[in-house]
Amino acid sequence: MVTLHSFLAECYAVIISMVATVSRELEAGKIVRLGHLGAFQISVKGTASETPEAVTPKNVKSASVIFRPGKKFKAMLKDLKFVRKSI
C-alpha cells in the first residue's frame, strides 16, 4: 500500500536525483533538455580578449543557470492574463 508520505518521499527522491544529474551534465558543458519541460544551460559573463587563444578561466567573471521553457510553458506565458488583486 502506497501512503501519501511514501509517495511524497519518492517524488522528493526523484527531484533530488534530477538536480544531481542536471548539475553533473551542466558542469560537463552540456545543454540538458527535459522534453516538454524545457532546457537548462550554463551562461557565463566575462571580459573579452584580443584572440581566442588569449582566453583563460580568469576571463570568466560569473556563471549562471538559464532555464528555457518548453512549448506549453511558452504558450501559457503568452496567454497569461494579469489582474490587480485587492489587498
Side-chain angles (χ1 to χ4, degrees), residues 19-82:
V19 169
T21 301
V22 169
S23 296
R24 185 174 54 250
E25 295 299 304
L26 290 173
E27 192 173 7
K30 297 178 181 177
I31 296 173
V32 180
R33 292 177 176 84
L34 298 174
H36 296 293
L37 181 63
F40 292 90
Q41 70 185 74
I42 296 291
S43 173
V44 294
K45 293 182 182 178
T47 57
S49 291
E50 293 294 322
T51 65
E53 295 77 25
V55 175
T56 69
K58 289 182 180 180
N59 291 85
V60 177
K61 299 302 176 197
S62 66
S64 60
V65 175
I66 294 177
F67 173 70
R68 290 181 293 135
K71 289 179 183 179
K72 287 188 179 185
F73 280 134
K74 286 182 182 179
M76 177 273 302
L77 290 171
K78 190 172 112 180
D79 297 335
L80 203 56
K81 305 285 186 252
F82 295 94

Side-chain angles (χ1 to χ4, degrees), residues 2-3 5 8 12 14 17 24 26 28 31 40 57 67 70 72 77-78 85-87:
V2 177
T3 65
H5 179 74
L8 293 175
Y12 182 72
V14 168
S17 177
R24 185 174 54 250
L26 290 173
I31 296 173
F40 292 90
F67 173 70
K72 287 188 179 185
L77 290 171
K78 190 172 112 180
K85 281 181 104 175
S86 58
I87 299 177

